[in-house]
Amino acid sequence: MAYVVKPFTKADLLPAMEIALSRHAEMRALESEVADLTERFETRKRIDRAKGELMKRLGLSEPEAFRWIQKTSMDRRLSMREVADAVVSGMSTPKH
């Protein structure tokens, strides 16, 4: 991620290595951020799908469906994503 043009001296190596290490750290941070955003986006999609199911099955409004997922998540000590997955897969019968 850095290069040294020939001819170079020993003094040229340290700054090049520092730049390379810095760029590597930046890349790692960006990869981590992308992974986190991807995970959050996937969770959001699943929650939206579960809200739609609850709206259809229970006749809830969108805010009510979101609140149901949120409350169930807290009551059962599950993530909202786990609750949403259960709603969509039909593993648990939603109770209002």
Side-chain angles (χ1 to χ4, degrees):
M1 302 196 73
Y3 61 93
V4 180
V5 180
K6 290 182 181 179
F8 60 88
T9 65
K10 288 182 182 181
D12 296 329
L13 290 179
L14 184 59
M17 290 174 61
E18 288 172 344
I19 290 170
L21 288 172
S22 175
R23 287 186 180 164
H24 177 72
E26 287 175 18
M27 293 294 289
R28 296 286 295 215
L30 288 172
E31 288 170 355
S32 178
E33 186 176 344
V34 166
D36 179 55
L37 290 172
T38 301
E39 181 71 20
R40 288 171 48 192
F41 180 66
E42 184 60 33
T43 295
R44 183 68 192 176
K45 286 191 322 187
R46 291 179 188 198
I47 290 171
D48 284 346
R49 187 167 175 207
K51 283 191 308 187
E53 285 292 318
L54 291 170
M55 291 165 63
K56 183 171 59 177
R57 283 195 245 164
L58 302 178
L60 301 176
S61 67
E62 185 176 356
E64 290 170 332
F66 181 80
R67 180 68 185 132
W68 187 95
I69 294 168
Q70 193 176 44
K71 184 173 180 343
T72 302
S73 170
M74 289 185 294
D75 291 347
R76 296 187 183 179
R77 292 192 168 118
L78 298 170
S79 70
M80 288 180 65
R81 183 174 178 162
E82 290 171 316
V83 172
D85 287 343
V87 168
V88 170
S89 70
M91 288 173 37
S92 65
T93 304
K95 295 176 185 163
H96 186 51

